[in-house]
């Protein structure tokens, strides 16, 4: 291990006060203030949304909260293959697999939980799912939680998101997909 010896640089009192940097920072701030006040003071450049009366239009590719798709009998389409949990970079998906009583399905999720406080809404879980069991097309923002335990959403909650009305007024948006499968 080599030890480096550096020469000590001396700074004058003027440089140690950082006064030139403070003045330069205030100059940048005042330049932006007056530029925005004079040239962009009209309503054309203002990007304010008056929320209760105006709603922001979401892009077509907006990823909302997760939902699980059910089969015809109401059970989740998930086969507990753990691909979504493996693909998740935030490690927010927790699955407990169990043997299914049906012959057509080998496994089913006894517990399927997503910690929405850790989720980064990347959509990797949707892309990794071979059964198309999980989607992020609800258009619903993550709600505020009063405790950390409320941020963990289980299988029943994720299946119940399908029953919500898929209208823009319910989501507070004007441009939301209607919950149709991908590719239609």
């Amino acid at each position: 291990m080599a030890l480096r010896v550096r020469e000590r640089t001396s700074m004058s009192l003027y440089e140690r006060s950082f006064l030139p940097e403070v003045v330069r920072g205030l100059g940048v701030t005042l330049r932006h203030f007056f530029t925005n006040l004079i040239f962009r003071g009209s309503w054309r450049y203002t990007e304010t949304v008056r929320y209760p009366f105006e709603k922001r239009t979401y892009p077509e590719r907006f990823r909302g909260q997760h939902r699980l798709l059910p089969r015809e009998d109401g059970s989740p389409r998930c086969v507990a293959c753990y691909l979504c949990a493996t693909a998740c970079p935030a490690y927010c998906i927790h699955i407990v697999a169990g043997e299914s009583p049906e012959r057509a399905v080998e496994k089913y999720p006894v517990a399927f939980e997503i910690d929405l406080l850790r989720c980064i809404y990347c959509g990797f879980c949707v892309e990794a799912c071979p059964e198309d069991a999980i989607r992020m097309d609800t258009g619903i923002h993550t709600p505020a939680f009063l405790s950390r335990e409320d941020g963990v959403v289980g299988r029943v909650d994720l299946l119940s998101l399908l029953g919500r009305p898929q209208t823009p007024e319910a989501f507070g948006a004007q441009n939301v997909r209607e919950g149709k499968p991908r590719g239609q």
Side-chain angles (χ1 to χ4, degrees):
M1 182 163 97
L3 183 64
R4 288 188 182 178
V5 178
R6 291 189 157 172
E7 294 181 23
R8 184 170 221 151
T9 59
S10 62
M11 295 172 55
S12 67
L13 179 64
Y14 179 72
E15 291 173 336
R16 279 188 281 156
S17 69
F18 295 105
L19 189 62
E21 302 304 317
V22 171
V23 170
R24 194 161 59 171
L26 284 174
V28 170
T29 303
L30 290 174
R31 185 180 71 221
H32 284 291
F33 174 74
F34 287 114
T35 301
N36 290 333
L37 183 69
I38 295 169
F39 297 113
R40 296 185 182 159
S42 66
W43 289 102
R44 290 178 291 188
Y45 297 105
T46 305
E47 296 190 25
T48 303
V49 177
R50 288 163 176 69
Y51 171 65
F53 308 109
E54 299 174 6
K55 307 272 190 221
R56 183 176 296 270
T57 303
Y58 292 118
E60 187 66 29
R61 294 177 47 177
F62 172 70
R63 288 189 288 259
Q65 196 172 346
H66 307 77
R67 70 177 174 125
L68 282 177
L69 294 176
R71 290 192 178 94
E72 289 78 26
D73 62 350
S75 64
R77 218 187 263 187
C78 178
V79 293
C81 64
Y82 296 101
L83 286 178
C84 59
T86 305
C88 181
Y91 303 110
C92 65
I93 300 175
H94 177 70
I95 301 173
V96 176
E99 289 187 28
S100 177
E102 300 176 20
R103 296 297 259 186
V105 180
E106 186 177 335
K107 295 188 301 183
Y108 78 103
V110 175
F112 190 99
E113 297 177 342
I114 299 177
D115 188 356
L116 296 178
L117 295 173
R118 293 184 70 182
C119 181
I120 59 173
Y121 293 89
C122 62
F124 288 168
C125 56
V126 177
E127 298 298 324
C129 184
E131 297 292 321
D132 196 27
I134 187 169
R135 292 191 185 158
M136 295 177 72
D137 59 354
T138 58
I140 301 171
H141 287 283
T142 303
F145 303 110
L146 296 176
S147 66
R148 289 192 172 272
E149 292 81 26
D150 294 341
V152 179
V153 180
R155 179 182 57 157
V156 176
D157 298 328
L158 293 170
L159 282 169
S160 68
L161 284 178
L162 185 66
R164 290 193 180 184
Q166 301 283 327
T167 60
E169 291 80 23
F171 301 138
Q174 296 174 356
N175 199 7
V176 177
R177 282 185 267 160
E178 301 301 320
K180 298 177 184 173
R182 287 183 284 174
Q184 290 187 359

